[in-house]
Structures are given as C-alpha cells and as structure tokens.
Amino acid sequence: MAEKKTFLSNEEQEGDDIPPPAALDHHASGSKKLTLVPLIFLIFYEVSGGPIGTEASVKAGGPLLALLGFIFFPFIWSVPEALVTAEMSTAFPENGGYVLWTSSAFGPFWGFLQGWWKWTSGVINTATYPILCVDYLQSILPVVAAGAARVSGIFGFTLALTYLNYRGLTVVGWSAVMLGVASLLPFFIMVGFSLPTLVPSRWLGLGGNGESVDWREYLNVLFWNLNFWDNASTLAGEVEDPGRTFPRAILMAGFLVAGCYLLPLLAGTGAVDVVRSEWEDGFFAILALRLGGKWLQWWMELGATLSCFGLFAAQMSSSSFQVLGMADMGILPAFLSIRSSYGTPTIGILLSCSGALLLSFMSFTDIIQAANALYSFGMLLEFAAFLWLKFKAPDMYRPFQVPMGLVGCMVITIRHNMSLYFNYVYERKRWGQMNL
C-alpha cells in the first residue's frame, strides 16, 4: 500500500523556500483547541450571522424570487466553496488556510498575494460591523445616531471585541454560540407567531404592483449573504481533530444558515401582504411588532446588535490567525507569529483592529464594494489552487474529499466562477470608481 502523503514535499511546491506545513508547530502549548459546536457557530458568523440583511431580496425581486434565490443559489455558490474548504482544510490542517493551499500550488508570491487580498477583504468586512451595530442601536439609544456618541460607540465596540479575541479563540467560539442562540431565537419565535396567518399563495407572487426586478440589488444580496465559507480555514490549526471536525462543522453550519434565511422569509412573506417598498434592512423588526408585539420587536433589534458582535469577533479571529499562519510559513516576518499567553496572535489582532478602526469611517457602500472585489479576486486564485493540487497531487492525503473526480470539481468551480464574473460585470462601473 502506498504511503499516505499529508502535504506536498518541498520539491513538489513551486516555492522551495516555504517549509512543509507539517513541519511547523503552530498551536500554542497548553491552549485549548476548538471543538465541533463553537466551530459551527464561528462558521455561521463568518458566512451569515442571521436573517438581517435578507429583506432587500424581497424588495428587489418579490417573494418568489427571494425564496428561489436562497433555495437554489447556494448550490451554485455556497456548496462548491464549502466543499473546497472542507477538503483543503483537512488536507492542510494548519493556520493560514487558503494561503497555504495557494503557496503549495503556485509558490510563495501567489500565496502572499492571496493573503493580501483576503486579509484586506476581511478587515474591510470587520469595519462594517461597528457601523451596523451603532445603526441598529439607534432605535434603542437615539443618542448614538451622530456626533461624539456615534464615534465613541464605534470605538468602544471595536476595542471591546478586540479584547475578547485577545482572550482566546475558545472564548470567542463559545461566545459565538451564546450570541447565536440569543440573536436567532426571536426570529424563530416570530416564525411560530406567523403560522396561524400563513397564506402559501403569497409566496408565488412577485409582490407589488408590477414593479420590475432590480437584478443588481437582488444578486448583491444573495452574494453578500452566501459567501465567505473559506474564512474559517485560517483557523484549521486551532481545531481539535480537523479531519473529522471541519467537514461536520461546515455541513451543520450549512443547515443552520439555510434555516435562518428561509424560515423568516417564508414567515414574513406568507403571513402578511407583501409591499415590496417596505422590505428594507430592519423590516423583520417591524414584522415582529405586527406578529408578536413590542417586546418581540425590541428583542429582535437587540438580536441584530448581538449578531454584529458575533460577526466582528469571528471575522477578526479569521484575519488575525491568517497573519499568524503566514508568518509561520515564512511569507511574513516571524515576529508576526507572536502569541499572547492565551494562545492568540497578538500582532495579527492589533493589525486587524487598527485596520477596522481606520476603515470604519468610510461609507458603508464603499466598504461593501471593496470587500466584494477583493474577495472575488481571492476566490478565483483559491479555486485555481484547488484544481491544480487535484491534478498535480492526486495521492495527497485528504481525510475528506469532494465526492467527485477532477472533471466534476472543474464543473462546480467553473460554475461558481461564472457567477463571480457575472456579479463583477454588474458592479464593474462602481468598482472602477474606487482606488483598490
């Protein structure tokens, strides 16, 4: 029987100056590793965070298109990305994730470029969450709407959750579990309240009075809410038994994401007559008021704020451990791999915090456009690395494999990249106005 290969050898890598990942000791001695449940919720917060933000899909296309989008688009977009992440994270169970895969396939230059694109995209995303948090809090605390109180709120949010990341990844993971339960529960209660008034025929309409479909907005909502499955790969070195835990966590997070999107949309569009112009961000809180009362609306608004906590903490964990992994590989200076006494990447956290604070005063629209552009470039390179390693090293040990051969993998990744290109073309004029 042929000997199993855990990683590519130096000779098989394009960049001979990168040490084989198996030779690296990434995990801090004595620090706890992530188990299944906290990893599920970290992945959930990397990808979703809850139904807030999906309302615009109804405004853009009506109930039928919104529901069809969240049923079928994941098979074009999310499933390929999740499958690739599961296979590569078990083949390369080290911190750095996609940077590690790209370096093994194409060499350190392309690994660094991938790392730069993805880290910048991640920090840009992190910067959105203090803005969203303060926006959600306005309905409860109007004082944070503008001025010094708003600035203080953004800084306080960022610094408090940066400290949470500093205290340990398992702390972040179990915090994500508690935040997830607290923020999702009001949505599922709203679903229960909707049952007596559900009219399934409402799901089959486009809503409104003959409004046209805003395809740009519709596709952007789907894109924004269904990507970033690969982010958790940068934490693979911190996961207990990643060959077994990672695929299971991704599968269970997939069910959680699907449920938290579809059930509230089914409830909201089926329990009341749809007026598309009403379905803006935050409309679920208005539905909660109509279906359950003021207490449920208040809980849902608080849940949206708590969700921002989870989104920020998960994204910062991914970005900071990516920096640590790149330093361990030798792509970045060694001092960037310094860990705190809690086993967390001290310099990586400080860099991510600083970047988030600097970017948090950009407009929300510009932040989203920049993040989507850089994320798209990184995904093209990531899938190319995945296919090249499939071709170049078919016997490399992979505890989990995408259940199809090279041709099948080419089909699902090309289909994914076509949707990426389609989204890029739609946004090209706006991206072209930005200095990336």
Side-chain angles (χ1 to χ4, degrees):
M1 180 181 293
E3 183 182 353
K4 288 180 179 178
K5 293 174 62 182
T6 306
F7 298 103
L8 296 180
S9 67
N10 279 345
E11 290 75 22
E12 290 173 308
Q13 296 183 33
E14 291 293 328
D16 292 337
D17 54 335
I18 300 179
L24 301 173
D25 180 17
H26 302 289
H27 193 72
S29 59
S31 60
K32 295 180 180 179
K33 288 202 170 189
L34 279 175
T35 53
L36 178 63
V37 173
L39 182 58
I40 291 170
F41 278 86
L42 281 175
I43 295 172
F44 168 74
Y45 274 115
E46 297 281 8
V47 175
S48 168
I52 295 293
T54 60
E55 302 101 321
S57 64
V58 179
K59 181 180 181 180
L64 180 61
L65 284 179
L67 293 170
L68 290 177
F70 281 103
I71 291 171
F72 292 108
F73 194 72
F75 291 98
I76 299 172
W77 186 265
S78 302
V79 171
E81 190 175 328
L83 287 172
V84 169
T85 300
E87 177 170 322
M88 291 287 94
S89 295
T90 59
F92 295 85
E94 306 291 336
N95 297 324
Y98 34 71
V99 179
L100 206 55
W101 322 336
T102 305
S103 298
S104 291
F106 304 128
F109 169 78
W110 292 103
F112 173 80
L113 191 62
Q114 173 75 298
W116 171 247
W117 285 339
K118 288 285 195 168
W119 184 83
T120 305
S121 171
V123 171
I124 290 171
N125 272 326
T126 304
T128 66
Y129 303 130
I131 299 171
L132 289 174
C133 178
V134 173
D135 287 345
Y136 292 143
L137 279 176
Q138 287 179 29
S139 59
I140 303 173
L141 297 171
V143 70
V144 301
R150 181 177 179 84
V151 174
S152 299
I154 290 173
F155 269 83
F157 177 97
T158 302
L159 295 177
L161 290 178
T162 297
Y163 180 70
L164 180 70
N165 270 267
Y166 175 75
R167 286 301 303 267
L169 188 57
T170 53
V171 175
V172 174
W174 284 108
S175 297
V177 174
M178 292 185 287
L179 291 169
V181 172
S183 62
L184 290 178
L185 197 52
F187 289 96
F188 292 122
I189 292 173
M190 183 191 74
V191 170
F193 277 121
S194 74
L195 294 177
T197 57
L198 278 181
V199 180
S201 61
R202 290 177 174 141
W203 298 330
L204 305 178
L206 294 179
N209 298 309
E211 294 115 313
S212 61
V213 176
D214 185 344
W215 290 105
R216 173 180 288 173
E217 178 70 13
Y218 176 73
L219 291 172
N220 270 341
V221 171
L222 295 178
F223 181 89
W224 176 250
N225 283 285
L226 292 168
N227 59 18
F228 296 105
W229 290 91
D230 58 333
N231 274 8
S233 68
T234 63
L235 311 169
E238 309 301 308
V239 175
E240 185 177 276
D241 189 12
R244 176 178 169 81
T245 304
F246 233 101
R248 294 169 66 203
I250 287 177
L251 176 63
M252 294 177 188
F255 285 122
L256 182 59
V257 169
C260 86
Y261 285 158
L262 285 173
L263 291 177
L265 283 174
L266 286 167
T269 57
V272 299
D273 291 325
V274 174
V275 179
R276 280 173 51 179
S277 60
E278 291 183 332
W279 282 77
E280 306 217 352
D281 289 345
F283 185 67
F284 276 127
I286 297 173
L287 278 176
L289 175 64
R290 293 178 184 176
L291 295 173
K294 188 69 177 177
W295 66 274
L296 189 58
Q297 179 191 27
W298 183 87
W299 189 359
M300 193 167 287
E301 289 171 344
L302 178 62
T305 303
L306 295 176
S307 182
C308 287
F309 292 174
L311 289 162
F312 183 99
Q315 182 64 71
M316 176 170 280
S317 294
S318 173
S319 298
S320 58
F321 274 98
Q322 179 193 318
V323 171
L324 183 145
M326 292 174 70
D328 282 335
M329 283 182 273
I331 292 179
L332 292 178
F335 77 91
L336 294 174
S337 66
I338 294 173
R339 289 181 184 255
S340 70
S341 59
Y342 303 104
T344 48
T346 306
I347 308 300
I349 289 172
L350 289 175
L351 288 173
S352 298
C353 174
S354 301
L357 285 174
L358 288 171
L359 293 169
S360 61
F361 297 98
M362 288 174 60
S363 77
F364 183 76
T365 301
D366 285 350
I367 288 175
I368 297 305
Q369 290 171 2
N372 283 349
L374 292 169
Y375 174 82
S376 298
F377 299 151
M379 285 308 305
L380 291 172
L381 185 55
E382 187 175 315
F383 280 142
F386 166 70
L387 291 175
W388 181 246
L389 290 171
K390 274 282 194 187
F391 171 74
K392 183 180 181 182
D395 297 325
M396 183 173 68
Y397 179 52
R398 298 168 169 91
F400 171 85
Q401 291 197 53
V402 178
M404 56 190 69
L406 177 60
V407 173
C409 291
M410 290 176 66
V411 170
I412 64 169
T413 54
I414 289 172
R415 186 178 61 189
H416 181 286
N417 288 341
M418 287 177 63
S419 62
L420 238 177
Y421 176 75
F422 188 67
N423 188 73
Y424 173 79
V425 169
Y426 253 76
E427 291 299 310
R428 186 176 178 182
K429 288 184 179 179
R430 283 192 281 179
W431 288 348
Q433 296 170 357
M434 301 190 63
N435 231 347
L436 299 177

